[in-house]
Each structure stands twice: as C-alpha cells, then as structure tokens.
Amino acid sequence: MKMNEKLLQLRNTLQLSTNAFAKTLGCSTTQLKRYEQGITPIPTTLIQTIQAKYKVNTQYFYANMPLSQAIPQQKTKEQINAEIANRIKQRRIQLQLTQKQLSQISNVSESQISQIEALHYTLSDTNAEKIANALQTSTIWIKEGLEEYKEYPVNQKVIDYLWKHPKLRKELWMKVNGK
C-alpha cells in the first residue's frame, strides 16, 4: 500500500473528517486531500505530527506494519461521546454557566444540552460549533480534547476581526510565516 493510501486509511479508521484531521495536523484541507490522493509527497514532519497527536507507530508508514498494530486501541463511539459530554460539562461549570444559560448563549435547546451531557444525544457539528463559541473554546477541543486548542480559539469572530484590520492581519501573517 502506498503512503498516501495509508494516510487515507488512517483518517477513515480514526473516523475523522478531512477538515478535522487537517486542523489537527496543521495543514489545509486542500493540502491534506493532495497528500491523500498522492499528488503531493507526504513530508516527514507530517508523519511525526501524526505520531505525536495520534500515537501512530511510524512503521505503519515506512514499513509493512498493519494499521491495527500501529494505533492504540480505538475508543468506542460511546466512549468518545462520554468524553465530549464531559468536556462540555467541565467547561460549562468552569465558566459558571447553567445548562439554561448555555442554551441561551449558544442557541442550542436546553433539552439537547441536557441530553448531550447525559449521553442521550450525539453532538452534531453545527451544535458543536455553537456550544464551542458559547463556551469560549474550539470545536477541536470539544470533539477531540486537544488541550492546545482549548483557550483562545480561532473562530469566525477572530477571522472577521482580522479581515477588518489589515495591519494586524499582515503583522500576524508575517509572524506566522517567519517573515
């Protein structure tokens, strides 16, 4: 199996969308698709990031190690939903919000929030974004638990602000791109 096919197989096995996987890896969805289609060679740094973020043994990419041996035991959907619910509840309590207050801020019904926290409702992408914004965090932290995405999320408000302030946007762009 070619390396690009292995990358696609890994993403599918992890049950991640192209967008979610790309964000975690620090690349665009377009770039990820180019890697998965074999158009662009996969850089070693990307393999290292995958290893660090998902604990995937790099021998999966460089040797013939089966994916089942290369990744840690996968969590069930129930375990994932429980972790998501716990993060939402933990953050809500940290911000001293009731379910009703979170409902009012997020525009997600109080019933749905209660059901999410009680593991009776699977969080949709739309509601994840609404709840993440209300909880002043990122959807990546809500859904995947990556702590580096918990504080100061880059959401649509930040993007809109940067578009309205070209000097700041340029300064940030220069800093991020090492110029």
Side-chain angles (χ1 to χ4, degrees), residues 61-74:
F61 289 101
Y62 299 121
N64 289 325
M65 178 180 279
L67 183 57
S68 59
Q69 293 176 9
I71 57 176
Q73 182 64 35
Q74 293 300 300

Side-chain angles (χ1 to χ4, degrees), residues 159-175:
I159 293 167
D160 290 344
Y161 183 86
L162 288 172
W163 280 117
K164 291 176 185 173
H165 296 84
K167 283 185 177 181
L168 180 59
R169 187 174 71 242
K170 179 181 178 183
E171 181 183 323
L172 183 60
W173 187 90
M174 300 285 276
K175 188 172 190 172

